[in-house]
C-alpha cells in the first residue's frame, strides 16, 4: 500500500458497545480500496495520547460504568485531544465518545460528569427512558442520507460552531426535540448511530479517510480516493 | 396452604388440565390465572421443595437440563421447568403441573430469568443458586452487564443462606461481598502467563480499583484466571476445577474435572462450562463423579439443539446465535470440524432476535476467512447486514452467495460442494428455516430443542 495512516482507537478496550469496533473494521475495508494501510492502536487508561502521533481517531460508546471511569481518565488527555481536533485531525465519536468530547454529561446515577469541552455541546439525561430504534437522517450540505440504530439515554444539545451530522427524517436524534442528530466540527464527526455507523454509511468513512490523507500528505492528489464508489450496504 | 392459595391452585391446575387436554398447550396461562387469584402462591407451592435456581445470560437451559440429568442419578423425583418458561408465570405453572410429592422433600431445579430471581426468592428460600455467566445480550431489552447482575443480586439478597455456585472464571461474580456461602467452578488446566483479554471484550475492569484486568489464562470472552496487577484482586479459590481439556470436536468434548475424566456429546467450550456447573451442583448434593460421568453420556437428548438434518444427502446443522460471545463460541466450535463444510448465516431483527443487528460486528467472523470454506450463503430479513459483515471479514465474492429468501437458501444448500453445512441463524430465522424444512418433509414440525 502507498499510504500509511496511524489510527488511535480511544479506550477501545472499554468503550466498545453495540459493535462499535465495526467502525474500525469498516475503515480498514475502505482504506484498502484507497491504497491506504491503517495502523490501529488502542489508547486507554493511563496511556498518553500525543496529537502528533496520529492521523485519525475513533472513540466509541461504552457501558455506563466504563464511561464514568473513562470520563476521569480522559481529563489527562484533554490538552492533546483538543490540539488534535483544533489542528483539523479527523475523529469519529459515537454515543459515549460523543458525549465526552462536550462540556459534560449526566451519568446513570444522575451525577454531572465533565467531558473535555473540546466541542461545544452538553448532554442531559432522560429518566427511565431511552431512545431506541432505527433512525434515518439527511445531511443538509452533502445531501447524503445516513442510516443507523440509536440506543441512548442521553439528550445532547449542540452548540456554537457545531453543525448537525444530519436532520432527523425518522427516529429521535440528539435529544428528541430539535430535529438534529450528531455533530460536525472541523473534521470531527459525532453521532449516536450504532449499526455501526461506518458499515451502513461508507460515505462517512470516505470523508474521514480523505481528510486524514489530505492533512498528512498536503501535496498529493487524492481525487481518485475521493471518487471511490461506495455501494449501498443497508 | 391457605384457603386462598388452595382455591388459586385448584383454578390453575384445572386450567392446566383444560389447556393441556383440549388445546395441547398451557405453559404460562395457568400460572397467570393462579397468580391473579393469589399473588403469593409460590410460597405454598414451593414450600415442599428444595429449590435450585439456575440463572445467568447464557447457558441456563442446557445447564438446567444437565443438572437435572446429574441429580437424577441420585434423586428419583426432580421437578424442572420446560424451556422458555423461566419467568414467574411459567414457574408457577411448573409447580401446578407437578404431581404432589408423597414423601420427603423433592428437588426443584428451575431455570430462572435474571430479572425474575426476585419473584422466586420473595416466596421461596432456595437451597442453592447457580450463576452461569453474564454477557451482553440484546441490550435493547435488559441493559448492561452490571445492571443484569444487580437484578440477580436483588433476588439473592432475600435468600442470604442459600449457597451460591458460581462460574469462578467470570470476574463479575467476585465483584460484590455477599453473606451467602459461595463455591466457584472454573478452568484450571493452563500454566500461568500474563496477558490482557482481546480489546473488544466486555467486563475487563477490576471491580476494586477500575484498572484493566490481566489474565494468567483465559478460555473465552472475559472468563479465566484473572488478576489485577494494580490492587491484587484475583480469581477466587476454585472448589471445582477443570484440570485437563482434551479433544474438542463440533459434536463432542473431553475433559477432566478434579482429576475425573468426562465426555459430553456436544461441542463448544461454553457447553463445557455448562457441564462444569452441573458437575458442581451434583457434587454439592453428593452425586459421585462416576454417576455424573454416566449422566453426561446417558442423556444425549439434552443437547438436542445440534441435531443434524439430512437435506437430500447434505448434513445440515442449524445453530442458534443471539449474541457476540455465543457467536464466537459457535464459530470456534465449527472450526474444530475435521471435514470440509459450507457456511450459512441467516440474520433477522425481530423482537426475539434483538432489533439491533450491531452485535454481529462484535463477533469474530474474521476467523471464517482462514478456514478454507468453499461456499458461503447469507440470507434472512437482514441479509444486507450479514452480507456486508462477511465481505468486511474477508469472504471473497466468488465464494459468497447472497440469497434473502430462505426457501431458496434451502435449494442452494443442496448444491454446495461439501456434505456438511453449518447454518447459523438468529431465533426467528431459525424458526422460519425449520418451518420450511418441515414443510418439505426434512424434519418434523416443532422446535426440536
Amino acid at each position: 500500500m502507498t499510504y500509511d495512516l496511524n489510527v488511535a482507537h480511544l479506550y477501545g478496550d472499554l468503550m466498545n458497545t453495540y459493535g462499535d469496533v465495526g467502525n474500525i473494521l469498516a475503515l480498514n475495508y475502505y482504506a484498502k480500496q484507497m491504497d491506504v494501510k491503517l495502523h490501529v492502536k488502542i489508547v486507554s487508561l493511563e496511556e498518553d495520547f500525543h496529537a502528533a502521533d496520529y492521523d485519525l481517531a475513533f472513540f466509541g460508546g461504552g457501558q455506563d460504568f466504563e464511561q464514568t471511569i473513562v470520563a476521569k481518565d480522559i481529563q489527562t488527555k484533554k490538552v492533546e485531544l483538543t490540539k488534535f481536533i483544533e489542528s483539523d485531525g479527523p475523529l469519529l465519536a459515537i454515543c459515549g465518545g460523543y458525549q465526552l468530547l462536550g462540556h459534560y454529561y449526566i451519568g446513570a446515577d444522575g451525577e454531572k460528569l465533565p467531558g473535555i469541552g473540546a466541542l461545544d455541546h452538553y448532554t442531559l439525561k432522560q429518566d427511565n427512558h431511552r431512545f431506541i430504534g432505527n433512525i434515518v437522517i439527511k445531511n443538509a450540505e452533502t445531501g447524503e442520507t445516513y442510516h443507523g440504530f440509536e440506543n441512548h439515554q442521553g439528550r445532547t444539545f449542540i452548540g456554537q460552531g457545531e453543525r448537525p451530522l444530519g436532520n432527523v427524517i425518522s427516529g429521535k436524534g440528539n435529544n428528541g426535540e430539535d430535529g438534529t442528530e450528531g455533530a460536525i466540527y472541523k473534521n470531527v464527526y459525532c453521532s449516536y448511530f450504532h449499526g455501526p455507523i461506518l458499515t451502513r454509511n461508507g460515505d462517512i468513512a470516505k470523508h474521514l479517510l480523505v481528510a486524514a490523507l489530505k492533512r498528512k500528505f498536503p501535496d498529493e492528489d487524492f481525487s481518485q480516493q475521493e471518487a471511490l464508489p461506495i455501494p449501498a450496504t443497508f | 396452604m391457605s384457603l386462598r392459595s388452595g382455591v388459586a391452585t385448584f383454578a390453575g391446575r384445572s386450567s392446566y388440565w383444560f389447556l393441556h387436554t383440549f388445546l395441547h398447550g398451557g405453559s404460562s396461562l395457568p400460572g397467570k390465572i393462579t397468580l391473579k387469584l393469589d399473588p403469593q402462591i409460590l410460597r405454598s407451592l414451593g414450600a415442599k421443595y428444595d429449590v435450585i435456581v439456575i440463572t445467568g445470560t447464557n447457558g441456563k437451559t442446557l445447564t438446567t437440563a444437565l443438572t437435572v440429568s446429574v441429580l437424577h442419578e441420585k434423586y428419583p423425583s426432580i421437578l424442572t421447568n420446560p424451556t422458555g418458561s423461566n419467568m414467574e408465570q411459567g414457574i408457577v405453572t411448573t409447580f401446578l403441573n407437578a404431581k404432589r410429592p408423597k414423601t420427603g422433600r423433592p428437588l426443584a431445579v428451575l431455570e430462572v430469568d435474571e430479572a425474575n430471581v426476585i419473584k422466586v426468592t420473595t416466596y421461596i428460600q432456595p437451597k442453592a443458586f447457580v450463576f452461569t455467566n453474564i454477557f451482553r445480550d440484546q441490550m435493547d431489552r435488559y441493559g448492561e452487564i452490571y445492571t443484569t447482575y444487580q437484578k440477580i443480586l436483588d433476588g439473592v439478597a432475600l435468600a442470604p443462606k442459600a449457597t451460591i455456585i458460581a462460574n469462578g472464571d467470570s470476574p463479575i461474580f467476585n465483584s460484590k461481598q455477599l453473606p451467602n456461602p459461595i463455591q466457584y467452578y472454573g478452568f484450571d488446566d493452563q500454566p500461568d502467563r500474563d496477558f490482557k483479554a482481546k480489546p473488544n471484550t466486555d467486563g475487563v475492569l477490576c471491580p476494586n480499583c477500575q484498572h484493566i484486568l490481566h489474565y494468567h489464562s483465559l478460555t473465552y470472552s472475559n472468563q479465566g484466571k484473572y488478576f489485577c496487577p494494580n490492587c491484587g484482586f484475583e480469581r477466587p479459590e476454585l472448589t471445582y476445577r477443570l484440570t485437563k481439556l482434551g479433544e474438542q470436536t463440533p459434536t463432542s468434548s473431553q475433559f477432566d474435572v478434579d482429576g475425573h475424566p468426562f465426555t459430553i456429546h456436544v461441542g463448544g467450550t461454553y457447553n463445557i462450562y455448562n457441564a462444569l456447573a452441573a458437575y458442581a451442583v451434583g457434587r454439592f448434593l453428593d452425586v459421585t463423579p462416576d454417576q455424573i460421568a454416566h449422566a453426561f453420556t446417558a442423556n444425549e437428548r439434552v443437547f438436542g439443539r445440534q441435531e443434524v438434518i439430512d437435506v437430500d444427502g447434505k448434513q445440515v446443522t442449524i445453530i442458534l446465535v443471539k449474541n457476540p460471545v455465543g457467536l464466537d463460541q459457535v464459530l470456534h466450535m465449527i472450526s474444530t470440524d475435521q471435514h470440509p463444510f459450507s457456511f450459512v448465516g441467516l440474520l433477522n431483527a425481530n423482537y426475539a432476535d434483538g432489533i439491533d443487528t450491531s452485535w454481529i460486528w462484535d463477533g469474530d467472523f474474521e476467523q471464517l476467512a482462514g478456514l478454507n470454506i468453499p461456499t458461503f450463503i447469507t440470507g434472512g430479513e437482514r441479509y444486507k447486514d450479514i452480507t456486508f459483515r462477511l465481505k468486511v471479514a474477508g469472504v471473497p465474492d466468488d465464494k459468497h452467495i447472497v440469497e434473502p429468501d430462505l426457501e431458496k437458501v434451502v435449494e442452494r444448500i443442496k448444491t454446495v460442494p461439501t456434505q456438511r453445512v453449518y447454518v447459523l441463524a438468529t431465533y426467528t430465522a431459525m424458526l422460519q428455516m425449520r418451518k420450511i424444512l418441515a414443510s418439505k418433509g426434512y424434519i418434523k414440525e416443532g422446535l426440536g430443542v
Side-chain angles (χ1 to χ4, degrees):
Chain A
M1 308 246 180
T2 311
Y3 304 101
D4 291 271
L5 291 177
N6 294 320
V7 181
H9 188 179
L10 296 167
Y11 304 96
D13 48 2
L14 295 174
M15 302 291 274
N16 53 20
T17 48
Y18 306 117
D20 278 355
V21 72
N23 291 309
I24 296 282
L25 300 174
L27 275 175
N28 219 10
Y29 176 79
Y30 291 113
K32 274 189 216 158
Q33 299 175 31
M34 292 180 168
D35 202 19
V36 174
K37 179 151 181 58
L38 298 186
H39 305 270
V40 182
K41 187 172 181 291
I42 288 178
V43 182
S44 189
L45 301 180
E46 297 174 8
E47 293 170 346
D48 289 335
F49 173 85
H50 295 295
D53 292 348
Y54 296 100
D55 309 307
L56 189 62
F58 170 63
F59 193 3
Q63 303 191 71
D64 293 335
F65 176 63
E66 274 79 357
Q67 191 174 333
T68 61
I69 304 301
V70 170
K72 278 182 217 152
D73 186 86
I74 199 172
Q75 302 306 329
T76 67
K77 301 176 176 68
K78 174 177 174 167
V79 173
E80 286 291 310
L81 275 172
T82 307
K83 193 197 280 183
F84 181 77
I85 290 168
E86 286 301 318
S87 63
D88 297 322
L91 192 163
L92 173 67
I94 302 298
C95 202
Y98 172 22
Q99 295 173 357
L100 288 172
L101 294 185
H103 295 296
Y104 63 87
Y105 80 99
I106 308 295
D109 301 335
E111 75 281 23
K112 183 172 169 179
L113 293 160
I116 60 168
L119 271 64
D120 197 22
H121 55 262
Y122 63 94
T123 302
L124 306 177
K125 116 181 215 295
Q126 316 168 67
D127 290 327
N128 300 315
H129 187 260
R130 297 176 76 88
F131 293 140
I132 300 175
N134 290 301
I135 172 165
V136 183
I137 63 172
K138 187 167 183 159
N139 183 289
E141 289 152 61
T142 62
E144 287 165 354
T145 300
Y146 303 133
H147 296 266
F149 189 95
E150 60 182 332
N151 185 349
H152 55 109
Q153 195 164 19
R155 292 188 301 127
T156 297
F157 297 87
I158 58 176
Q160 292 290 319
E162 290 182 292
R163 292 121 58 211
L165 178 65
N167 296 310
V168 176
I169 295 171
S170 64
K172 298 293 183 188
N174 279 330
N175 47 49
E177 291 170 22
D178 64 14
T180 66
E181 201 296 316
I184 300 177
Y185 172 74
K186 291 182 174 264
N187 281 326
V188 182
Y189 291 78
C190 299
S191 176
Y192 274 111
F193 276 27
H194 300 288
I197 187 169
L198 298 186
T199 68
R200 293 188 187 172
N201 309 282
D203 287 316
I204 301 175
K206 186 163 89 172
H207 298 324
L208 286 161
L209 288 164
V210 168
L213 288 168
K214 285 182 170 173
R215 178 170 172 266
K216 186 171 189 182
F217 308 101
D219 301 328
E220 304 254 345
D221 172 27
F222 292 108
S223 49
Q224 230 181 329
Q225 277 78 0
E226 285 181 274
L228 179 78
I230 307 283
T233 58
F234 181 75
Chain B
M1 192 176 277
S2 68
L3 181 61
R4 180 175 189 176
S5 297
V7 170
T9 305
F10 177 75
R13 284 210 171 109
S14 310
S15 73
Y16 180 85
W17 171 81
F18 177 82
L19 289 162
H20 192 74
T21 308
F22 297 105
L23 301 173
H24 309 290
S27 64
S28 70
L29 187 60
K32 198 172 175 181
I33 292 168
T34 311
L35 279 168
K36 263 268 182 326
L37 294 170
D38 181 0
Q40 300 194 18
I41 190 66
L42 270 179
R43 196 186 303 280
S44 50
L45 287 179
K48 294 191 182 70
Y49 292 83
D50 279 338
V51 175
I52 313 286
V53 167
I54 297 177
T55 192
T57 55
N58 293 35
K60 284 190 290 283
T61 303
L62 191 56
T63 300
T64 302
L66 270 175
T67 301
V68 169
S69 294
V70 163
L71 295 178
H72 261 308
E73 296 284 321
K74 187 177 164 78
Y75 302 92
S77 169
I78 300 169
L79 180 65
T80 189
N81 48 342
T83 307
S85 301
N86 62 12
M87 309 248 195
E88 188 182 16
Q89 293 171 4
I91 291 162
V92 169
T93 305
T94 299
F95 279 110
L96 286 172
N97 183 24
K99 292 196 186 92
R100 274 163 252 215
K102 292 186 188 94
T103 53
R105 286 179 66 78
L107 287 164
V109 179
L110 301 176
E111 169 190 339
V112 181
D113 166 84
E114 301 87 277
N116 279 261
V117 172
I118 193 166
K119 301 202 170 148
V120 172
T121 56
T122 302
Y123 307 112
I124 294 175
Q125 290 289 313
K127 190 173 180 66
F129 294 101
V130 178
F131 297 169
T132 59
N133 51 52
I134 298 182
F135 297 126
R136 249 196 283 155
D137 187 27
Q138 300 174 25
M139 283 168 51
D140 44 317
R141 213 177 300 171
Y142 262 140
E144 309 183 342
I145 59 171
Y146 309 102
T147 319
T148 305
Y149 186 45
Q150 192 53 51
K151 285 190 166 106
I152 293 174
L153 291 186
D154 290 346
V156 171
L158 302 179
K161 288 185 182 152
T163 298
I164 294 170
I165 299 170
N167 180 347
D169 289 350
S170 178
I172 199 165
F173 293 142
N174 190 21
S175 65
K176 296 272 171 71
Q177 291 296 319
L178 304 171
N180 304 60
I182 184 155
Q183 301 185 337
Y184 290 103
Y185 60 87
F187 277 54
D188 214 3
D189 64 318
Q190 298 288 323
D192 281 359
R193 292 179 294 145
D194 181 353
F195 59 98
K196 289 187 200 174
K198 65 175 185 175
N200 200 35
T201 304
D202 266 342
V204 294
L205 278 177
C206 171
N208 271 349
C209 72
Q210 287 80 50
H211 283 68
I212 306 269
L213 290 172
H214 285 220
Y215 286 82
H216 289 309
S217 60
L218 190 148
T219 53
Y220 65 90
S221 185
N222 68 339
Q223 301 183 127
K225 192 175 179 186
Y226 58 83
F227 68 101
C228 174
N230 186 59
C231 76
F233 175 79
E234 61 181 355
R235 184 176 75 172
E237 192 69 35
L238 300 178
T239 313
Y240 310 105
R241 298 158 61 236
L242 183 139
T243 41
K244 186 180 158 201
L245 185 57
E247 193 193 20
Q248 290 183 273
T249 75
T251 52
S252 71
S253 308
Q254 295 178 348
F255 53 91
D256 290 4
V257 184
D258 299 333
H260 306 285
F262 294 94
T263 300
I264 53 174
H265 294 292
V266 66
T269 307
Y270 58 102
N271 282 319
I272 300 180
Y273 270 108
N274 296 334
L276 203 46
Y279 169 91
V281 180
R283 296 298 293 133
F284 174 68
L285 292 172
D286 298 322
V287 184
T288 67
D290 284 347
Q291 288 174 316
I292 295 170
H294 175 260
F296 283 172
T297 48
N299 295 282
E300 283 190 48
R301 59 179 177 75
V302 304
F303 306 117
R305 261 186 195 165
Q306 266 136 35
E307 88 185 284
V308 178
I309 301 163
D310 187 315
V311 179
D312 294 359
K314 301 295 180 194
Q315 296 173 359
V316 180
T317 307
I318 304 179
I319 308 173
L320 173 70
V321 290
K322 55 177 185 172
N323 61 29
V325 173
L327 175 69
D328 280 356
Q329 280 296 294
V330 168
L331 292 174
H332 173 259
M333 182 181 74
I334 65 176
S335 76
T336 61
D337 198 329
Q338 307 293 318
H339 301 83
F341 60 87
S342 300
F343 179 91
V344 182
L346 306 178
L347 182 67
N348 282 0
N350 298 306
Y351 184 71
D353 306 292
I355 58 173
D356 179 10
T357 61
S358 301
W359 64 274
I360 62 171
W361 293 88
D362 284 321
D364 187 14
F365 283 102
E366 276 64 18
Q367 60 181 294
L368 285 176
L371 290 181
N372 203 19
I373 297 169
T375 305
F376 296 84
I377 302 172
T378 48
E381 292 160 12
R382 294 297 288 270
Y383 69 98
K384 286 182 182 172
D385 294 87
I386 187 65
T387 296
F388 190 59
R389 180 69 192 91
L390 291 198
K391 249 183 214 295
V392 169
V395 170
D397 289 353
D398 60 349
K399 292 180 177 177
H400 189 168
I401 298 164
V402 181
E403 182 49 76
D405 182 342
L406 298 191
E407 294 251 6
K408 291 181 183 154
V409 167
V410 173
E411 295 308 309
R412 292 285 199 163
I413 284 173
K414 295 176 185 170
T415 68
V416 299
T418 59
Q419 196 183 17
R420 297 191 179 195
V421 181
Y422 288 105
V423 179
L424 274 59
T426 57
Y427 188 70
T428 67
M430 181 184 77
L431 293 187
Q432 292 164 1
M433 193 68 176
R434 290 192 67 91
K435 199 169 176 193
I436 291 165
L437 291 170
S439 74
K440 293 177 187 293
Y442 295 116
I443 50 169
K444 292 199 180 107
E445 195 81 54
L447 245 185
V449 292

